[in-house]
Each structure stands twice: as structure tokens, then as C-alpha cells.
Amino acid sequence: MKEYSSDKIRNVAVVSHDGAGKTALVESLLLTSGAVDFVGKGQDNKHIMDFEPEEIKRNVTIQLGMAPCEWHDHKVNFVDTPGYNEFHGEVRAALRACDGMLMVLSATSGVETDTVRAWDYAVELQMPRMAFINKMDVDGADFFGTIERMRELFGKGIMPLQIPIGEGANFEGVVDVAKMTAFTYKDGQPTEIAVPAHLIEKAQEIREMTVEAAAEGSDELLEKYLEGEELSLEEIRQGLREGMISGRVCPIMCGSATSRIGLDQVLDRMIRYMPDATKKVMTATDAETGEQCVVHVDKPLTAFVFKTLLDPFAGKQSFVRIFSGELKEGDRLYDVNQGVEEKWGKMVTLIGKQQIPVSSAKAGDIVVIPKLANAKTGDTLTAPDFKVTYDAIRFPQPLYTVALEPVKKGEEEKLASAVLKVAEEDPTCVVVKNAEARQLQIDCMGEVHLEHILNKMDRKYGVQAKLVTPYIPYRETIKGSAETESKYKKQSGGHGQYGHVKIQVDPLYDGSEFAFVDKIFGGAVPKQYIPAVEKGAKETLDKGLIA
């Protein structure tokens, strides 16, 4: 794969609700572009992007994966993400690394819960987005019903650039409403035809909506449109691109990933409408002064670690998005968050698990750097003379807490080490060492996420864990005042031992946990005995009458 300049690179996060066909679409786009020679279908589990044993077993995506392809002298870096909501942290990491989002919807299921969640997060990040309505060849497909629901939820910026030729078993191609031409497909190859007569009226109606949306992209185009002049095809495309980059317009396409219908047009529109890296302007913090600064592609090298993978054999892999400058083999690399200079030898790009060596990468590119000793997810890597940091990824808060013990006794340290390594890969798995309970606890996203963590520890690190009831640190306090008096006598020859203590206990209403007041007057009790009484009272705080 050749080296591309920043303006020729597109970084696209592909997101969907579970089951919409997102991974199948990514793999079919790779096949269409020639990046791969074969992809699996349906339940055969011969997927390029889902290669982890857990992903193969469940036939779902669990962790993000990347794959670049080349199309019309451009490079598109796809970042495939999980659709299941318990792995939504991977989606947030992917969106942080990318410049645009491709939402995949099922034509039979329409807008689903995780589609809305991903949309909301993209809006929060002010990320340009387009959508692909997949499975148009499945019985029950409803393109216009899906479009209508999207407009209800996401606004009038939802803008179809195509309409389908047929639906379900009759689906055979798409109409390009901007060009007013149509394409049918056989074995993924398009044939251009005239727009079918029964679709001309609908295509013209959608085209008018598209032209109006494009005209709003700039004052010049809007003035021309309002004066009744016809916008050229290039002007329509220019207006749509500006509208998409600003977030006002979300272009919609349709097709079938498994039948490879409409996929060449998806690649065309990614290059045409998705922003390139030169448009990316980042806000960073100067590590020395603490002041905010603006970073664009022409600044010295800055990069961000958005994903970490650990393998017992291959070692650590750090997924890195380069935001400015250029990274070449032999360059010095400074981890600003850890305060150390990293030693590194090579970098690669990935198609699934296949590694492709890369000698240099410009701003906007995404690479994987193996065996960085200190770097963690969320760290900023820079040139040694340009130390800035980017904000960390805002991962979702874990919702589910469990306590773990090793199945085999004596493997407590091995279990703790394995859990910490899993947590380094997955920030939504949080390790809690509860000293009071003497338990190893983890916070995770749910039962499916937990099962994945346990399987990963067994498979990668050879330690099996069992669930135990988490210790709940109950707290109790007194509700009213009380007094007590006690005497201690012990005669064992000689002077013997004698003690007399009187204590009054009252609730504290100022929020503090403990206060000790000495009310001994006139030296009735020697001062050296008072600290022992206070120590005994403090030790009692660690116990309770009920808990």
C-alpha cells in the first residue's frame, strides 16, 4: 500500500445496532476495493474483521478492528465497531480516532437503540455522518419507512442520495437521484441504465429535496437556487459536502452488503463527502504551561493512542491516530502522559489480524505500533520538542460489579495480573482492590461483558476465575446519646491491676467520622493512659453491632 498525503485519507468509523450487517458491509467494501480476495458470508464465521475466538463463537463483533483500502487514488481507513451495547466503549474509542461516521441500518429493523446512541455521541463530538440502509434484498425491507423514522428522530437533515430499484427478493439496484441515472448489479459489478419509468417521479421528488439541501450549503448556491437557476452536478456535490461537514446534512445510501449491491457508490461518496485530515483542527493542552493550544496537520508530530491490545505472544499493540506532523521509522517518540520517551522499532497497518508494514505515515493516518512499553489507551505521543496532550476518551461508566477468586488455590497473583492486563485493553473493565474485604472486584458493563472477560483470562493467560459474593461494606452509626461506665480489677499478687473508665457517646452532625474529647480534670487519671483509651475507641469504629 503506497503512502498517501493527508488530503487523500478518509477515516471512517462504521457503527450500527447489533445485527444490522455492519461487519459484513466493511468486508464487502474491502472486497469491492480489491483490498481482500475473499470474505465469508452469513453464519460461516469466515470473517476477516471478527477473528477472536469469542467473536467467532458468538458471530458478533466484540472489539474494534481496523482495515484500510485504496479507492480512486485515496486511502480509506475503516474502523469496525461492536454493535452490542455492552461493548459500546469500543465505539467511543473508534469515533475519537475517526473524522466521519458511517451508520449502518437494517432495512427490515430500521432505527434501533444503539443506532440512536451512536448518533447522539457523534453529535456530541460534532462528527460528520452518513448512513447506509443495508439488507435491501431481505424480505420485509422498507427503505422509505426507515427514512421516515430517521427524519422523525434525527431531523430533516436526513437526505437520501439514492432510492432502491425494488425491495426484498426484487431488489436489483439503485437510482442516483443527483445524476438521475440508475445502476443494476451482478456479482458486485454495476451496469448503468436509465431510471425505470415507475421510479422517475419519486426520484425527481427526492432530487428536489437534495438540491435544496445542497443549496443551503453556501450563500452563493442558495442565491442561485432562489433565483431559479439550475445547480450543476458539481455544485450539488459541493453543497452536500459542506452541509455534511457542518453536520446539517446526513446523506443516505442503500444496498446489500452480502449481494454487493451499491457498494462502489458507498466508496465514491466516502471520498466525495467525508472530510479529509487537513480539515481536522484539535484543541490540546501544553504540558509545560497548562494552556490550551490549537493543533493542525502542519504542526510537529502529535498522535493519540485510542486502543490497546495485549497478546501473550505478539506483545502489546497500540492503535494510534496521527493528528499532526509525520511519523517515520527512526523518529523519536515521547509519551507525554507517562513522561517518558518510547522506544519503538516499526509500525504496521492491519486488515483484521493481517499486518502490513508501514515505513511512514502522515497526519490523518491510523497505524499500529507494536511493543510500546509504557503507552496506554488515552495517551498522547509527540515529538520530544512539542509536548502537548489531548483529552482522554470519555468511556461509559461500568454498571455491574462482581468479585473474583481463582478456581485453583495459590493463583491469586496470577489472577490479579490477568485482570489488570484485560483492564489495560478494555477501559470499561475497572479493577477494584478492596482492602477492607480482601477481595478482587471488577466493575464491567454486564453479564455478556463479564463472560467475555473470564474467557479472555482463561484463553490468553491460563487462569480460571469463579464468581463469589461481593463484600458489601455496610456502615452503621449511633442515633442518640449514651453513657457507660466500667471497672476492671485483677489481683494476682503485688499491687494488682485496676481500671475505671466512663465514656459518653454522642452523634456527630458536622459530617466528621470521629472526635475524642478528654474531660479528665485535675490529673485524676495520668495523661499517659488517655491515648490508649482513644485508640480503643478508634479500633471499635472498624466493627459494628449489626454488620
Side-chain angles (χ1 to χ4, degrees):
M1 185 171 290
K2 69 178 185 179
E3 184 179 320
Y4 288 86
S5 59
S6 299
D7 63 324
K8 299 289 186 180
I9 298 173
R10 306 289 187 270
N11 297 308
V12 182
V14 188
V15 304
S16 78
H17 190 90
D18 186 42
K22 160 186 47 57
T23 299
L25 174 62
V26 172
E27 293 179 349
S28 293
L29 289 170
L30 294 174
L31 182 61
T32 299
S33 68
V36 299
D37 299 322
F38 170 81
V39 297
K41 288 186 178 181
Q43 301 294 321
D44 64 8
N45 283 327
K46 294 180 180 179
H47 292 297
I48 297 168
M49 304 303 294
D50 295 344
F51 55 84
E52 288 286 339
E54 277 293 296
E55 295 177 315
I56 294 172
K57 175 184 174 182
R58 295 178 180 275
N59 200 33
V60 297
T61 303
I62 289 177
Q63 63 186 24
L64 67 81
M66 64 171 287
C69 73
E70 296 172 293
W71 186 255
H72 294 173
D73 200 33
H74 285 72
K75 180 180 181 182
V76 182
N77 288 315
F78 292 111
V79 182
D80 184 31
T81 65
Y84 196 71
N85 63 349
E86 290 189 13
F87 303 102
H88 197 68
E90 300 285 303
V91 178
R92 297 197 176 196
L95 292 182
R96 185 61 183 277
C98 293
D99 304 316
M101 180 180 81
L102 175 66
M103 291 197 313
V104 182
L105 297 90
S106 166
T108 59
S109 303
V111 181
E112 299 176 271
T113 306
D114 286 309
T115 315
V116 178
R117 183 181 288 113
W119 175 278
D120 290 343
Y121 193 54
V123 170
E124 179 186 327
L125 294 175
Q126 298 180 339
M127 173 170 286
R129 47 210 171 271
M130 62 171 55
F132 179 79
I133 298 177
N134 190 27
K135 300 188 178 182
M136 286 300 307
D137 55 349
V138 176
D139 289 343
D142 184 0
F143 176 79
F144 292 105
T146 302
I147 291 291
E148 183 178 349
R149 181 60 177 156
M150 291 180 73
R151 291 175 74 89
E152 287 176 8
L153 291 172
F154 306 138
K156 295 182 179 180
I158 297 299
M159 192 58 54
L161 303 185
Q162 302 168 332
I163 60 174
I165 303 175
E167 291 182 337
N170 298 319
F171 179 62
E172 57 179 340
V174 296
V175 175
D176 182 334
V177 298
K179 291 177 66 176
M180 284 301 289
T181 187
F183 298 87
T184 57
Y185 287 80
K186 183 177 181 180
D187 298 327
Q189 299 301 314
T191 299
E192 187 171 348
I193 62 171
V195 178
H198 68 283
L199 291 175
I200 290 177
E201 184 177 348
K202 188 66 176 179
Q204 288 176 336
E205 176 189 336
I206 298 294
R207 186 180 192 278
E208 184 60 30
M209 292 168 52
T210 304
V211 172
E212 183 178 343
E216 293 175 354
S218 72
D219 293 340
E220 181 181 345
L221 292 179
L222 183 59
E223 183 179 349
K224 186 175 181 180
Y225 174 75
L226 292 175
E227 290 176 354
E229 294 185 47
E230 184 74 20
L231 298 187
S232 68
L233 180 60
E234 283 307 311
E235 288 174 327
I236 293 173
R237 289 173 173 174
Q238 174 195 340
L240 287 174
R241 186 171 196 268
E242 292 176 1
M244 179 180 165
I245 290 174
S246 68
R248 291 185 302 100
V249 175
C250 175
I252 310 296
M253 298 157 287
C254 65
S256 168
T258 54
S259 301
R260 295 174 58 206
I261 297 177
L263 304 192
D264 58 320
Q265 297 197 40
V266 173
L267 290 166
D268 286 343
R269 283 165 176 77
M270 284 180 178
I271 291 170
R272 187 176 298 142
Y273 298 126
M274 284 284 184
D276 60 70
T278 61
K279 304 291 189 295
K280 194 81 168 182
V281 178
M282 298 290 293
T283 300
T285 302
D286 190 300
E288 296 179 353
T289 66
E291 296 179 355
Q292 298 285 298
C293 59
V294 174
V295 179
H296 49 77
V297 293
D298 296 328
K299 291 283 187 179
L301 173 69
T302 66
F304 184 78
V305 181
F306 66 93
K307 173 68 178 174
T308 302
L309 284 181
L310 298 178
D311 187 277
F313 305 104
K316 180 193 288 188
Q317 293 182 325
S318 299
F319 288 62
V320 175
R321 161 67 195 261
I322 301 172
F323 284 117
S324 64
E326 182 179 5
L327 181 61
K328 302 187 295 293
E329 286 187 2
D331 284 352
R332 294 170 65 193
L333 202 56
Y334 190 82
D335 188 327
V336 184
N337 297 79
Q338 306 300 327
V340 296
E341 187 167 323
E342 287 279 11
K343 295 181 179 179
W344 66 289
K346 65 175 184 177
M347 57 182 164
V348 300
T349 188
L350 298 177
I351 299 181
K353 62 180 178 181
Q354 178 191 358
Q355 296 189 2
I356 302 171
V358 176
S359 59
S360 65
K362 288 186 165 48
D365 216 343
I366 296 175
V367 295
V368 176
I369 305 178
K371 300 181 180 179
L372 292 180
N374 303 285
K376 293 180 172 57
T377 300
D379 283 3
T380 302
L381 307 174
T382 69
D385 57 352
F386 188 63
K387 298 174 184 176
V388 299
T389 59
Y390 294 116
D391 290 341
I393 302 167
R394 188 175 62 83
F395 288 103
Q397 291 297 314
L399 306 170
Y400 191 60
T401 300
V402 297
L404 301 179
E405 286 183 359
V407 171
K408 297 179 181 178
K409 289 190 175 182
E411 291 191 344
E412 286 78 11
E413 288 189 12
K414 189 176 180 181
L415 174 62
S417 174
V419 172
L420 289 171
K421 288 177 180 176
V422 171
E424 185 175 352
E425 286 188 277
D426 182 0
T428 59
C429 171
V430 179
V431 181
V432 180
K433 290 185 177 180
N434 192 320
E436 180 180 349
R438 296 181 177 85
Q439 280 186 334
L440 180 65
Q441 298 180 352
I442 61 170
D443 297 337
C444 59
M445 299 302 294
E447 291 184 356
V448 176
H449 189 206
L450 173 63
E451 185 179 344
H452 168 64
I453 291 168
L454 297 178
N455 288 334
K456 181 183 282 189
M457 289 194 299
D458 184 14
R459 174 171 49 85
K460 280 191 171 184
Y461 307 110
V463 57
Q464 293 182 331
K466 61 182 179 181
L467 304 184
V468 295
T469 304
Y471 171 79
I472 300 174
Y474 288 107
R475 293 291 184 265
E476 54 187 281
T477 187
I478 57 173
K479 296 170 69 177
S481 298
E483 293 185 12
T484 186
E485 184 175 359
S486 181
K487 294 182 180 181
Y488 174 81
K489 297 179 182 179
K490 185 175 183 182
Q491 189 68 40
S492 58
H495 295 291
Q497 296 174 332
Y498 175 79
H500 184 184
V501 177
K502 184 176 181 180
I503 293 180
Q504 178 180 329
V505 182
D506 297 290
L508 279 173
Y509 297 106
D510 61 359
S512 56
E513 182 177 312
F514 177 78
F516 183 81
V517 179
D518 177 6
K519 288 190 176 180
I520 301 298
F521 296 102
V525 178
K527 287 186 177 182
Q528 61 266 32
Y529 294 114
I530 305 300
V533 179
E534 182 177 1
K535 182 180 179 184
K538 282 185 176 180
E539 289 175 349
T540 307
L541 290 176
D542 294 332
K543 305 172 184 177
L545 295 174
I546 300 171

